[in-house]
Amino acid sequence: MSPQPTLTKRQYLTLGSLLFGMFFGAGNLIFPIHMGQLAGSAWLPAAIGFLLSAVLLPLLSIMAISLTRASSMYDLARPAGHSFALFFLLATHASLGLLIASPRTATVTYSIGIAPFLGKGQQQIGLLIFSFIFFLTTFLLARNESKITTYIGKLLNPLLLILLAVIFFWALVIKGDIRAISFTSSPKLMSSNLINGFLQGYNTMDALAGLGFGVTIITALKLMGLHQASTRAKAVAKVGSLAMGLEALIYMLLILLGAISLGFSRLTANGGTAFNQIMTHYTGLIGTALLGAMTLLACLTTAIGLVTSFSQDLGHRFPKLGYHFFLPMTTIGAFLIANFGLDQIIAYSTPILMLLYPLAIALIMLGLMHPWIGKNTRIYKTTVAFTMIPALLDAIHALPAGLAQLPIFNSIQQFATTYIPWFGIGMDFVPFLLIGFLTGFIAAKLSGHKLAPDLPDPD
């Protein structure tokens, strides 16, 4: 076996920047700022909760891909059965690449950077033209897989970081507004904001995205000469830690900025409006242009990552068609759905996310347990089967009002509210997941089969 090359610090930084750029989209700018406003003086516990779900969980998803040495999201889910793995792959990537995250990159950029300058009657045609240019650019930049690291890691992402650094330095150091923020709060506020911050972190969708982005990092590592699975696994873990560490720092500063903004503005309806007010306060008219540039860079890098990971995973599953067949299909689909508007996208995709998130958490947990349980199909299938029950209940609970009030769905919700623990707070999957795992583990042990990890296939 030929010796594996060692990545330089510069290559690790480039790959970390690539992964950060794919994760950090417009929602990642908007949600922490709005949460900072909601938390106010209790911003610190809210920030801790937010980091647990928006940083730690996505990092664990990258680690699960690394530990299992999976080459795709499908590979990670495969021990639970071929049908489930294919369903999870298509449903997750459809949500990320088609139904919500990818279309949202265009609609959020438009609403922040373009819509304020157009009249009410020009909004629909404006969105159509902008989203066409946006996704055409995304397609052209994602067309060459070998250049993705250069476009995101070396060019677009550093520009975004520079813009963020400017506003942080101006607000916290030059203006000195950090002196106005409190670092203490009552125990009641601390506990409630910790939970609220944790739940708000789900809005980033990064735990799902991490399962898909892992494949893009693995592809980049192969292009750099790392063809041995064990070597790639260690590199993926290092790159993931670097990217999510940077994201955690920026989240903390954005949440702090949101809390500080209550000193010169009122609580806003969403983070986009709050960010507009913050930029205007600190930079005047220049702030509008700066915010538009930041949002465009954040959204463009994320859109490239989403369509690339979707097309790569499908290309691996259907090699006769390949990456370059699925890439235009993905970008065209995202373009069409973006023109339904942000409100419609969120309303009808939320039930899908409520279905997928518990399943993703189950797979992440199983992947992290790989050194002890390997890819034992009995444990995987039992855990996923138990987790599917509350996942379906949560999806029904999140249906749009018109559908949720149908007699059959209303009856199901009343039953779940009465008999299912933690259903009302959306955490009902936790006991089901644990019971499923323990049941599968005991059954596997009683069967006499060895639980040691599978040996990796040679690359």
Side-chain angles (χ1 to χ4, degrees):
M1 182 182 295
S2 59
Q4 289 287 292
T6 302
L7 297 187
T8 65
K9 290 182 179 180
R10 184 171 183 178
Q11 286 175 312
Y12 274 120
L13 288 173
T14 299
L15 287 172
S17 178
L18 165 67
L19 185 60
F20 170 84
M22 291 190 297
F23 270 124
F24 203 84
N28 304 75
L29 283 171
I30 290 172
F31 292 129
I33 282 186
H34 186 54
M35 195 193 66
Q37 282 197 328
L38 291 173
S41 61
W43 68 273
L44 186 56
I48 294 172
F50 191 87
L51 294 182
L52 289 175
S53 57
V55 173
L56 181 60
L57 199 55
L59 177 58
L60 294 179
S61 72
I62 298 290
M63 295 296 294
I65 293 287
S66 173
L67 287 172
T68 57
R69 298 173 184 177
S71 61
S72 67
M73 190 187 305
Y74 174 87
D75 287 345
L76 181 66
R78 182 65 182 85
H82 166 75
S83 298
F84 171 76
L86 190 58
F87 156 76
F88 186 76
L89 169 70
L90 295 176
T92 300
H93 270 316
S95 299
L96 290 169
L98 292 175
L99 297 177
I100 178 168
S102 187
R104 188 174 69 181
T105 57
T107 55
V108 171
T109 306
Y110 173 78
S111 64
I112 291 178
I114 306 297
F117 301 98
L118 299 178
K120 188 174 181 180
Q122 300 173 311
Q123 294 297 327
Q124 193 61 48
I125 187 65
L127 176 60
L128 178 67
I129 295 172
F130 175 81
S131 60
F132 175 78
I133 296 173
F134 182 92
F135 283 111
L136 177 61
T137 304
T138 299
F139 168 75
L140 293 175
L141 292 177
R143 188 169 53 178
N144 189 339
E145 288 182 271
S146 65
K147 295 294 185 181
I148 292 172
T149 301
T150 299
Y151 292 141
I152 297 181
K154 293 183 179 180
L155 179 61
L156 296 178
N157 198 55
L159 288 175
L160 170 63
L161 293 176
I162 290 171
L163 290 174
L164 282 172
V166 168
I167 187 61
F168 290 145
F169 183 78
W170 186 263
L172 303 179
V173 178
I174 301 299
K175 292 290 187 179
D177 283 353
I178 193 173
R179 295 190 299 267
I181 195 65
S182 171
F183 288 88
T184 59
S185 61
S186 67
K188 184 178 180 180
L189 281 177
M190 289 180 64
S191 60
S192 63
N193 278 279
L194 180 69
I195 296 172
N196 184 54
F198 185 82
L199 296 176
Q200 287 288 328
Y202 286 161
N203 289 325
T204 66
M205 298 170 58
D206 281 350
L208 293 176
L211 296 175
F213 290 162
V215 116
T216 302
I217 295 299
I218 289 171
T219 300
L221 290 171
K222 287 181 178 179
L223 292 171
M224 291 179 174
L226 297 187
H227 299 292
Q228 189 175 325
S230 59
T231 306
R232 284 203 312 269
K234 295 176 182 178
V236 168
K238 291 180 181 178
V239 170
S241 299
L242 182 63
M244 302 315 291
L246 177 60
E247 190 169 53
L249 174 62
I250 293 177
Y251 279 153
M252 287 290 289
L253 292 172
L254 286 172
I255 293 168
L256 181 60
L257 203 59
I260 290 172
S261 70
L262 294 176
F264 54 80
S265 68
R266 293 180 296 178
L267 178 65
T268 57
N270 59 71
T273 303
F275 213 165
N276 265 305
Q277 292 182 355
I278 289 170
M279 298 299 287
T280 301
H281 173 77
Y282 287 117
T283 64
L285 293 177
I286 298 176
T288 303
L290 191 60
L291 176 59
M294 291 172 64
T295 307
L296 176 61
L297 288 174
C299 288
L300 189 58
T301 55
T302 300
I304 294 171
L306 290 169
V307 300
T308 297
S309 61
F310 189 21
S311 303
Q312 285 174 339
D313 257 352
L314 290 181
H316 291 155
R317 290 302 311 145
F318 306 100
K320 291 184 178 180
L321 297 175
Y323 174 78
H324 291 287
F325 172 82
F326 289 108
L327 180 62
M329 299 299 102
T330 304
T331 47
I332 291 172
F335 159 70
L336 293 174
I337 293 177
N339 282 274
F340 284 99
L342 187 59
D343 292 341
Q344 291 297 316
I345 292 170
I346 293 175
Y348 288 96
S349 60
T350 299
I352 300 175
L353 293 176
M354 295 303 294
L355 170 68
L356 292 176
Y357 240 93
L359 299 174
I361 292 173
L363 289 175
I364 291 169
M365 186 202 76
L366 291 168
L368 295 173
M369 295 292 291
H370 183 78
W372 299 277
I373 67 172
K375 296 182 179 179
N376 187 282
T377 56
R378 187 165 297 180
I379 296 176
Y380 268 76
K381 288 181 179 180
T382 306
T383 304
V384 167
F386 271 80
T387 307
M388 182 69 78
I389 298 170
L392 288 169
L393 293 175
D394 289 342
I396 293 172
H397 187 60
L399 287 170
L403 292 174
Q405 295 306 315
L406 292 176
I408 183 171
F409 294 141
N410 191 38
S411 298
I412 291 173
Q413 290 194 70
Q414 289 181 3
F415 173 85
T417 302
T418 304
Y419 296 105
I420 303 297
W422 300 349
F423 175 75
I425 59 174
M427 298 295 289
D428 47 327
F429 70 91
V430 174
F432 278 83
L433 189 159
L434 294 177
I435 292 172
F437 175 78
L438 291 174
T439 302
F441 183 83
I442 293 171
K445 291 287 286 185
L446 292 176
S447 70
H449 290 295
K450 189 177 181 181
L451 298 183
D454 304 325
L455 292 175
D457 295 326
D459 287 326

